[in-house]
Short mmCIF file of all heavy atoms in Angstrom, two decimals:
data_model
loop_
_atom_site.label_atom_id
_atom_site.label_comp_id
_atom_site.label_asym_id
_atom_site.label_seq_id
_atom_site.Cartn_x
_atom_site.Cartn_y
_atom_site.Cartn_z
N ALA B 153 -18.87 115.36 -84.01
CA ALA B 153 -18.47 114.04 -84.51
C ALA B 153 -19.60 113.04 -84.29
O ALA B 153 -19.61 112.28 -83.34
CB ALA B 153 -17.19 113.56 -83.82
N TYR B 154 -20.57 113.06 -85.18
CA TYR B 154 -21.67 112.13 -84.98
C TYR B 154 -21.31 110.75 -85.57
O TYR B 154 -20.45 110.63 -86.42
CB TYR B 154 -22.99 112.65 -85.53
CG TYR B 154 -22.99 113.26 -86.91
CD1 TYR B 154 -22.62 112.50 -88.03
CD2 TYR B 154 -23.36 114.59 -87.07
CE1 TYR B 154 -22.64 113.07 -89.28
CE2 TYR B 154 -23.39 115.15 -88.34
CZ TYR B 154 -23.02 114.40 -89.43
OH TYR B 154 -23.06 114.96 -90.68
N ASP B 155 -22.07 109.72 -85.06
CA ASP B 155 -21.78 108.35 -85.42
C ASP B 155 -22.80 107.84 -86.40
O ASP B 155 -23.68 107.04 -86.04
CB ASP B 155 -21.74 107.46 -84.16
CG ASP B 155 -20.55 107.76 -83.30
OD1 ASP B 155 -19.41 107.59 -83.80
OD2 ASP B 155 -20.76 108.17 -82.14
N VAL B 156 -22.72 108.29 -87.63
CA VAL B 156 -23.67 107.83 -88.64
C VAL B 156 -23.54 106.33 -88.86
O VAL B 156 -24.55 105.61 -88.95
CB VAL B 156 -23.44 108.58 -89.97
CG1 VAL B 156 -24.25 107.97 -91.09
CG2 VAL B 156 -23.78 110.06 -89.82
N GLU B 157 -22.31 105.87 -88.90
CA GLU B 157 -22.10 104.44 -89.16
C GLU B 157 -22.70 103.58 -88.05
O GLU B 157 -23.38 102.57 -88.34
CB GLU B 157 -20.60 104.16 -89.31
CG GLU B 157 -20.38 102.75 -89.78
CD GLU B 157 -18.94 102.54 -90.31
OE1 GLU B 157 -18.13 103.46 -90.19
OE2 GLU B 157 -18.71 101.44 -90.81
N ASP B 158 -22.48 103.97 -86.80
CA ASP B 158 -23.05 103.18 -85.70
C ASP B 158 -24.56 103.22 -85.76
O ASP B 158 -25.27 102.24 -85.43
CB ASP B 158 -22.60 103.75 -84.34
CG ASP B 158 -21.18 103.33 -84.02
OD1 ASP B 158 -20.60 102.56 -84.82
OD2 ASP B 158 -20.67 103.79 -82.98
N THR B 159 -25.12 104.37 -86.18
CA THR B 159 -26.59 104.46 -86.24
C THR B 159 -27.14 103.58 -87.38
O THR B 159 -28.16 102.91 -87.20
CB THR B 159 -27.00 105.92 -86.44
OG1 THR B 159 -26.49 106.68 -85.34
CG2 THR B 159 -28.51 106.09 -86.51
N ILE B 160 -26.45 103.55 -88.51
CA ILE B 160 -26.91 102.68 -89.61
C ILE B 160 -26.82 101.22 -89.16
O ILE B 160 -27.76 100.42 -89.39
CB ILE B 160 -26.05 102.91 -90.87
CG1 ILE B 160 -26.36 104.29 -91.46
CG2 ILE B 160 -26.30 101.82 -91.92
CD1 ILE B 160 -25.42 104.74 -92.58
N ALA B 161 -25.75 100.84 -88.48
CA ALA B 161 -25.61 99.46 -87.98
C ALA B 161 -26.74 99.13 -86.99
O ALA B 161 -27.31 98.05 -87.03
CB ALA B 161 -24.25 99.31 -87.30
N LEU B 162 -27.07 100.09 -86.15
CA LEU B 162 -28.14 99.91 -85.19
C LEU B 162 -29.47 99.69 -85.91
O LEU B 162 -30.23 98.77 -85.58
CB LEU B 162 -28.25 101.15 -84.29
CG LEU B 162 -29.49 101.26 -83.42
CD1 LEU B 162 -29.36 100.32 -82.21
CD2 LEU B 162 -29.73 102.68 -82.93
N MET B 163 -29.76 100.49 -86.92
CA MET B 163 -31.02 100.40 -87.69
C MET B 163 -31.12 99.00 -88.30
O MET B 163 -32.20 98.38 -88.27
CB MET B 163 -31.03 101.45 -88.79
CG MET B 163 -31.15 102.89 -88.25
SD MET B 163 -30.65 104.12 -89.47
CE MET B 163 -32.00 104.10 -90.62
N LEU B 164 -30.04 98.54 -88.86
CA LEU B 164 -30.09 97.22 -89.52
C LEU B 164 -30.21 96.08 -88.49
O LEU B 164 -30.80 95.05 -88.76
CB LEU B 164 -28.84 97.00 -90.41
CG LEU B 164 -28.74 97.99 -91.60
CD1 LEU B 164 -27.39 97.83 -92.28
CD2 LEU B 164 -29.87 97.75 -92.56
N ASN B 165 -29.64 96.29 -87.31
CA ASN B 165 -29.77 95.28 -86.24
C ASN B 165 -31.21 95.19 -85.76
O ASN B 165 -31.72 94.10 -85.51
CB ASN B 165 -28.89 95.64 -85.04
CG ASN B 165 -27.50 95.07 -85.20
OD1 ASN B 165 -27.31 94.11 -85.97
ND2 ASN B 165 -26.53 95.62 -84.51
N LEU B 166 -31.83 96.34 -85.57
CA LEU B 166 -33.20 96.34 -85.04
C LEU B 166 -34.24 95.99 -86.11
O LEU B 166 -35.33 95.57 -85.79
CB LEU B 166 -33.53 97.72 -84.44
CG LEU B 166 -32.67 98.15 -83.23
CD1 LEU B 166 -33.08 99.52 -82.75
CD2 LEU B 166 -32.80 97.15 -82.09
N HIS B 167 -33.84 96.16 -87.39
CA HIS B 167 -34.78 95.82 -88.50
C HIS B 167 -33.99 94.97 -89.50
O HIS B 167 -33.61 95.41 -90.58
CB HIS B 167 -35.28 97.12 -89.17
CG HIS B 167 -35.87 98.10 -88.21
ND1 HIS B 167 -37.17 98.02 -87.78
CD2 HIS B 167 -35.31 99.15 -87.56
CE1 HIS B 167 -37.43 99.00 -86.94
NE2 HIS B 167 -36.28 99.69 -86.75
N PRO B 168 -33.79 93.74 -89.18
CA PRO B 168 -32.90 92.88 -90.01
C PRO B 168 -33.44 92.62 -91.41
O PRO B 168 -32.71 92.20 -92.29
CB PRO B 168 -32.77 91.59 -89.19
CG PRO B 168 -33.89 91.58 -88.23
CD PRO B 168 -34.23 93.00 -87.96
N LEU B 169 -34.75 92.88 -91.63
CA LEU B 169 -35.33 92.62 -92.96
C LEU B 169 -35.23 93.84 -93.88
O LEU B 169 -35.78 93.85 -95.00
CB LEU B 169 -36.75 92.17 -92.85
CG LEU B 169 -37.00 90.88 -91.98
CD1 LEU B 169 -38.48 90.62 -91.82
CD2 LEU B 169 -36.29 89.70 -92.62
N THR B 170 -34.55 94.89 -93.44
CA THR B 170 -34.51 96.16 -94.17
C THR B 170 -33.88 95.97 -95.56
O THR B 170 -32.84 95.29 -95.70
CB THR B 170 -33.68 97.17 -93.37
OG1 THR B 170 -34.32 97.39 -92.13
CG2 THR B 170 -33.57 98.51 -94.13
N LYS B 171 -34.51 96.61 -96.55
CA LYS B 171 -33.98 96.57 -97.91
C LYS B 171 -33.55 97.96 -98.39
O LYS B 171 -32.71 98.09 -99.29
CB LYS B 171 -35.01 95.99 -98.87
CG LYS B 171 -35.29 94.50 -98.62
CD LYS B 171 -36.39 94.01 -99.54
CE LYS B 171 -36.66 92.52 -99.24
NZ LYS B 171 -37.96 92.12 -99.80
N HIS B 172 -34.20 99.00 -97.82
CA HIS B 172 -33.89 100.35 -98.31
C HIS B 172 -33.74 101.31 -97.14
O HIS B 172 -34.50 101.21 -96.18
CB HIS B 172 -35.08 100.89 -99.17
CG HIS B 172 -35.60 99.90 -100.15
ND1 HIS B 172 -34.96 99.59 -101.32
CD2 HIS B 172 -36.70 99.10 -100.10
CE1 HIS B 172 -35.65 98.66 -101.98
NE2 HIS B 172 -36.70 98.34 -101.24
N ILE B 173 -32.76 102.19 -97.24
CA ILE B 173 -32.62 103.27 -96.29
C ILE B 173 -32.66 104.60 -97.05
O ILE B 173 -31.89 104.82 -97.98
CB ILE B 173 -31.29 103.16 -95.49
CG1 ILE B 173 -31.33 101.90 -94.59
CG2 ILE B 173 -31.04 104.42 -94.64
CD1 ILE B 173 -30.05 101.66 -93.81
N PHE B 174 -33.61 105.47 -96.66
CA PHE B 174 -33.77 106.78 -97.28
C PHE B 174 -33.21 107.83 -96.34
O PHE B 174 -33.65 107.92 -95.18
CB PHE B 174 -35.26 107.04 -97.59
CG PHE B 174 -35.78 106.11 -98.63
CD1 PHE B 174 -36.34 104.90 -98.31
CD2 PHE B 174 -35.71 106.48 -99.99
CE1 PHE B 174 -36.82 104.02 -99.28
CE2 PHE B 174 -36.22 105.61 -100.98
CZ PHE B 174 -36.75 104.38 -100.63
N ILE B 175 -32.26 108.62 -96.87
CA ILE B 175 -31.59 109.61 -96.03
C ILE B 175 -32.15 110.99 -96.40
O ILE B 175 -32.05 111.46 -97.54
CB ILE B 175 -30.05 109.61 -96.26
CG1 ILE B 175 -29.51 108.21 -95.91
CG2 ILE B 175 -29.39 110.67 -95.42
CD1 ILE B 175 -28.14 107.95 -96.47
N VAL B 176 -32.79 111.63 -95.42
CA VAL B 176 -33.40 112.94 -95.63
C VAL B 176 -32.36 113.98 -95.28
O VAL B 176 -31.89 113.99 -94.12
CB VAL B 176 -34.70 113.10 -94.81
CG1 VAL B 176 -35.27 114.50 -94.98
CG2 VAL B 176 -35.71 112.04 -95.21
N ASN B 177 -32.02 114.85 -96.21
CA ASN B 177 -30.96 115.80 -96.01
C ASN B 177 -31.30 117.10 -96.76
O ASN B 177 -32.10 117.10 -97.70
CB ASN B 177 -29.66 115.19 -96.54
CG ASN B 177 -28.43 115.90 -96.01
OD1 ASN B 177 -28.48 116.49 -94.92
ND2 ASN B 177 -27.34 115.85 -96.77
N ASP B 178 -30.75 118.19 -96.33
CA ASP B 178 -30.99 119.44 -97.07
C ASP B 178 -29.68 119.91 -97.70
O ASP B 178 -28.65 119.26 -97.59
CB ASP B 178 -31.66 120.50 -96.19
CG ASP B 178 -30.78 120.87 -95.01
OD1 ASP B 178 -29.56 120.60 -95.04
OD2 ASP B 178 -31.30 121.47 -94.05
N MET B 179 -29.76 121.09 -98.34
CA MET B 179 -28.60 121.56 -99.08
C MET B 179 -27.92 122.71 -98.34
O MET B 179 -27.19 123.50 -98.93
CB MET B 179 -29.00 122.00 -100.49
CG MET B 179 -29.63 120.89 -101.31
SD MET B 179 -28.60 119.43 -101.42
CE MET B 179 -27.29 120.03 -102.49
N THR B 180 -28.18 122.82 -97.03
CA THR B 180 -27.49 123.81 -96.24
C THR B 180 -26.06 123.36 -96.06
O THR B 180 -25.67 122.23 -96.44
CB THR B 180 -28.15 123.95 -94.84
OG1 THR B 180 -28.05 122.68 -94.19
CG2 THR B 180 -29.61 124.35 -94.95
N ALA B 181 -25.25 124.22 -95.42
CA ALA B 181 -23.83 123.85 -95.19
C ALA B 181 -23.76 122.58 -94.36
O ALA B 181 -22.92 121.69 -94.62
CB ALA B 181 -23.13 125.00 -94.47
N THR B 182 -24.67 122.49 -93.39
CA THR B 182 -24.70 121.27 -92.55
C THR B 182 -25.01 120.05 -93.40
O THR B 182 -24.37 119.00 -93.28
CB THR B 182 -25.76 121.44 -91.41
OG1 THR B 182 -25.50 122.64 -90.72
CG2 THR B 182 -25.74 120.27 -90.46
N GLY B 183 -26.02 120.20 -94.26
CA GLY B 183 -26.42 119.09 -95.12
C GLY B 183 -25.32 118.67 -96.07
O GLY B 183 -25.09 117.47 -96.28
N ARG B 184 -24.63 119.67 -96.63
CA ARG B 184 -23.55 119.33 -97.56
C ARG B 184 -22.41 118.61 -96.84
O ARG B 184 -21.81 117.68 -97.38
CB ARG B 184 -23.06 120.60 -98.26
CG ARG B 184 -24.04 121.12 -99.32
CD ARG B 184 -23.40 122.17 -100.23
NE ARG B 184 -22.97 123.33 -99.45
CZ ARG B 184 -23.75 124.38 -99.21
NH1 ARG B 184 -25.03 124.39 -99.62
NH2 ARG B 184 -23.31 125.41 -98.54
N SER B 185 -22.13 119.05 -95.66
CA SER B 185 -21.06 118.38 -94.88
C SER B 185 -21.46 116.95 -94.55
O SER B 185 -20.63 116.02 -94.64
CB SER B 185 -20.82 119.12 -93.53
OG SER B 185 -20.37 120.43 -93.80
N ALA B 186 -22.75 116.78 -94.24
CA ALA B 186 -23.22 115.42 -93.92
C ALA B 186 -23.06 114.50 -95.14
O ALA B 186 -22.67 113.33 -95.03
CB ALA B 186 -24.67 115.46 -93.47
N ARG B 187 -23.36 115.07 -96.32
CA ARG B 187 -23.29 114.25 -97.54
C ARG B 187 -21.86 113.73 -97.74
O ARG B 187 -21.64 112.58 -98.16
CB ARG B 187 -23.73 115.12 -98.72
CG ARG B 187 -23.74 114.37 -100.06
CD ARG B 187 -24.76 113.23 -100.01
NE ARG B 187 -24.60 112.33 -101.10
CZ ARG B 187 -25.42 112.29 -102.18
NH1 ARG B 187 -26.47 113.11 -102.24
NH2 ARG B 187 -25.22 111.43 -103.13
N ILE B 188 -20.89 114.57 -97.41
CA ILE B 188 -19.47 114.11 -97.55
C ILE B 188 -19.22 112.90 -96.65
O ILE B 188 -18.59 111.93 -97.05
CB ILE B 188 -18.52 115.28 -97.19
CG1 ILE B 188 -18.68 116.42 -98.22
CG2 ILE B 188 -17.06 114.80 -97.14
CD1 ILE B 188 -18.02 117.72 -97.81
N VAL B 189 -19.75 112.98 -95.43
CA VAL B 189 -19.59 111.86 -94.49
C VAL B 189 -20.26 110.61 -95.04
O VAL B 189 -19.69 109.51 -95.03
CB VAL B 189 -20.15 112.24 -93.09
CG1 VAL B 189 -20.11 111.04 -92.15
CG2 VAL B 189 -19.41 113.42 -92.51
N PHE B 190 -21.48 110.73 -95.55
CA PHE B 190 -22.21 109.56 -96.06
C PHE B 190 -21.50 108.92 -97.25
O PHE B 190 -21.50 107.69 -97.39
CB PHE B 190 -23.63 109.96 -96.47
CG PHE B 190 -24.60 109.97 -95.32
CD1 PHE B 190 -25.08 111.16 -94.81
CD2 PHE B 190 -25.00 108.76 -94.76
CE1 PHE B 190 -25.98 111.15 -93.75
CE2 PHE B 190 -25.89 108.76 -93.69
CZ PHE B 190 -26.36 109.97 -93.19
N ASP B 191 -20.93 109.75 -98.09
CA ASP B 191 -20.29 109.21 -99.29
C ASP B 191 -19.14 108.26 -98.93
O ASP B 191 -18.82 107.34 -99.70
CB ASP B 191 -19.78 110.34 -100.18
CG ASP B 191 -20.93 111.08 -100.87
OD1 ASP B 191 -22.06 110.49 -100.90
OD2 ASP B 191 -20.73 112.21 -101.33
N GLU B 192 -18.60 108.45 -97.76
CA GLU B 192 -17.52 107.55 -97.29
C GLU B 192 -18.09 106.22 -96.72
O GLU B 192 -17.52 105.18 -96.90
CB GLU B 192 -16.70 108.21 -96.17
CG GLU B 192 -15.59 109.09 -96.68
CD GLU B 192 -14.76 109.64 -95.53
OE1 GLU B 192 -14.52 108.91 -94.56
OE2 GLU B 192 -14.37 110.82 -95.62
#
Side-chain angles (χ1 to χ4, degrees):
Chain B
Y154 46 62
D155 290 299
V156 171
E157 188 164 6
D158 282 357
T159 301
I160 291 170
L162 169 77
M163 292 161 73
L164 295 173
N165 271 340
L166 297 179
H167 307 276
L169 302 175
T170 299
K171 291 177 182 163
H172 316 282
I173 293 178
F174 293 89
I175 301 162
V176 177
N177 198 27
D178 61 17
M179 301 306 288
T180 61
T182 306
R184 286 194 298 273
S185 297
R187 183 63 193 255
I188 295 167
V189 175
F190 275 109
D191 288 343
E192 275 184 38

